[in-house]
Amino acid sequence: MALPSSPTKLYSSLLLVAGVALLVVGSMQLCAATLDEQIELIWGASHTYFFMDGDTESLALSLDEQQGSCFRSRDTYLYGSISMDIKLVEGNSAGVVATIYTISEGPWSYHDEIDLEFLGNLTGEPITLHTNIFANGVGGREEQYYLWFDPTADYHTYTIEWNPKYIIIRVDGKAIRAFKNYEDQGVPFPTWQQQRVYGSLWDADEWATQGGAVKTDWSNAPFVAYYRNYNTTWCQPSPGVSWCGAEPKDSPRFDLDQQTLADIQWVNANYRIYDYCSDHKRFNESEFPKECYLQRAGV
């Protein structure tokens, strides 16, 4: 759904000023903050616990037949890079979904959201990384990937980079997806709403594994996923520009470098298993989202 009415210029200006202030204050606070100071548990507290994994403070999220668990960041963000190390549920995790995502907190009809969802599977079968992007309430931009390693065997770093020109998703530093801002051509892009970070472990066996064909085996419960090293880096504009939202439209500041483009092309060729812009069963040729007809990174 499109945004029903644009915010007033005054509201937008106040929001941007507030965003800059939050970035400055938040940057100073996060430098020395511990994990339990950066995030808060919002449901399933009895299913979660902080612990020291060597020298690193970590968080275990667990799921049983009664309840899952979820945390969120104490701060909200407007442009920046957000990353976290995650070790996914081992063994038979069919039906179980672990997430790391960002979402705005205004009305759902025009919310923004950047999703990374890890869809569990039977022992020995690959876990699917499901990605999606919502802007002004418009979603349906799913791309799915297998990973080139076992994400249950150790921690790996998952990153959302968000700037005025692109949303880039990285795995261990390697770019797997880049969604370009074509707002000037009528494609919604998150440019004005601050977003909060969430992580969760929950049961989605009605759709998660093979379209819901494989259900959660509760004899394997509790299911546990581990999170650590929550890091944020504020978006850095060009020298002399006050903040990223003020970056001139013709600035090359956030253009993709050759390594990022090469990474995306490699992942697309070897590990992408679903692209909404190639789903002819879902869309008739004239019904594909507008961005599918525009140049997309790595395609």
Side-chain angles (χ1 to χ4, degrees), residues 76-77 101-114 134-137 162 190 192-198:
T76 57
Y77 309 95
Y101 64 99
T102 66
I103 191 168
S104 62
E105 298 182 326
W108 183 258
S109 60
Y110 55 88
H111 83 287
D112 297 335
E113 184 174 348
I114 306 168
F134 287 77
N136 291 349
W162 172 28
W192 62 279
Q193 298 187 89
Q194 294 186 30
Q195 298 190 52
R196 195 179 299 276
V197 181
Y198 284 76

Side-chain angles (χ1 to χ4, degrees), residues 3-263:
L3 181 66
S5 59
S6 298
T8 64
K9 291 183 179 179
L10 175 60
Y11 180 77
S12 296
S13 299
L14 290 173
L15 180 62
L16 298 183
V17 171
V20 174
L22 278 172
L23 297 185
V24 173
V25 174
S27 179
M28 292 167 28
Q29 290 176 338
L30 289 179
C31 289
T34 60
L35 181 60
D36 62 318
E37 292 172 329
Q38 293 172 296
I39 65 175
E40 59 183 346
L41 307 178
I42 59 171
W43 45 269
S46 63
H47 288 62
T48 65
Y49 56 92
F50 291 95
F51 68 103
M52 294 304 297
D53 188 358
D55 295 329
T56 306
E57 185 183 16
S58 302
L59 174 66
L61 298 185
S62 68
L63 166 71
D64 62 23
E65 201 164 1
Q66 282 69 50
Q67 191 174 36
S69 45
C70 180
F71 68 85
R72 69 182 179 189
S73 63
R74 297 183 185 275
D75 291 301
T76 57
Y77 309 95
L78 184 57
Y79 302 137
S81 177
I82 298 159
S83 69
M84 199 154 197
D85 297 348
I86 305 173
K87 181 181 178 183
L88 297 176
V89 175
E90 295 184 66
N92 181 357
S93 60
V96 176
V97 175
T99 71
I100 184 78
Y101 64 99
T102 66
I103 191 168
S104 62
E105 298 182 326
W108 183 258
S109 60
Y110 55 88
H111 83 287
D112 297 335
E113 184 174 348
I114 306 168
D115 290 335
L116 278 72
E117 298 181 292
F118 301 90
L119 313 185
N121 217 330
L122 297 170
T123 302
E125 296 294 324
I127 286 175
T128 298
L129 171 53
H130 174 97
T131 69
N132 198 2
I133 295 167
F134 287 77
N136 291 349
V138 178
R141 300 183 173 101
E142 300 91 346
E143 293 188 15
Q144 295 183 341
Y145 308 84
Y146 290 148
L147 298 169
W148 49 96
F149 52 82
D150 179 359
T152 73
D154 204 350
Y155 288 94
H156 292 270
T157 304
Y158 304 92
T159 304
I160 295 169
E161 292 181 14
W162 172 28
N163 62 57
K165 189 172 286 187
Y166 282 99
I167 293 169
I168 305 167
I169 296 173
R170 297 183 185 272
V171 177
D172 289 337
K174 185 183 294 292
I176 67 169
R177 180 177 184 179
F179 182 78
K180 190 173 182 178
N181 183 350
Y182 282 117
E183 198 170 34
D184 60 349
Q185 299 191 51
V187 179
F189 190 88
T191 57
W192 62 279
Q193 298 187 89
Q194 294 186 30
Q195 298 190 52
R196 195 179 299 276
V197 181
Y198 284 76
S200 63
L201 188 65
W202 59 292
D203 175 40
D205 72 356
E206 71 276 8
W207 65 272
T209 303
Q210 299 179 30
V214 183
K215 303 299 183 182
T216 304
D217 182 354
W218 293 110
S219 69
N220 294 307
F223 302 97
V224 183
Y226 302 94
Y227 293 70
R228 69 182 188 187
N229 289 334
Y230 175 74
N231 290 298
T232 60
T233 303
W234 306 110
C235 181
Q236 298 296 314
S238 298
V241 177
S242 60
W243 76 293
C244 287
E247 189 74 27
K249 290 187 178 298
D250 59 352
S251 168
R253 179 69 172 180
F254 304 116
D255 289 349
L256 303 182
D257 60 31
Q258 290 303 309
Q259 186 60 59
T260 296
L261 289 169
D263 287 346

